[in-house]
Amino acid sequence: KKSKSRTAVRARPEIAPQSASTDGGVADLRVDFLAESSTIEGTWSLQGVGRLEGKVIGTVRGESESRLLVAENGSVEGEIHCDEVFVEGHVRGNIHARTRIVVSSSGRVTGVLESPRIRIESGAFFEGDRIDAKAFKTLIRAAVALNTAKAKR
């Protein structure tokens, strides 16, 4: 069963857009929502906030300022590309976040985490590699500079 729906839900403050609530409280937001009984095979494109309680087999791709919550009963088998990713459920594949990744105590991730900020909470399951995007880019720049210097000799 393939399904995509859009509905209003009460989002946790940490995944709400910064302009949604200035007092740190829960904000009423419009988000992309994939229900527990739904499965997407292919690409799920997000604009803004996404809450995944169902299953994605393929890619979750977020536009600018995208936030994805993989809820406790949600799962992804494939790639995630968003600004921020919060995992309370299961992800088997790579997560690429432009801002941060948080794997909560109920989260399970097998794959590569790539982001400038990565937090894995106590009790979470993680098997794979962590890549600090800023450190990786710095390392690549240094390697290129070294190779350029050697080539000029």
Side-chain angles (χ1 to χ4, degrees), residues 6-17:
R6 193 164 171 87
T7 187
V9 299
R10 292 183 63 78
R12 293 183 13 193
E14 67 182 9
I15 68 164

Side-chain angles (χ1 to χ4, degrees), residues 96-119:
H96 309 275
R98 292 178 284 274
T99 305
R100 69 177 166 161
I101 299 169
V102 177
V103 182
S104 74
S105 60
S106 63
R108 298 179 54 85
V109 177
T110 303
V112 175
L113 303 179
E114 180 182 356
S115 182
R117 292 177 29 208
I118 299 170
R119 186 173 83 212

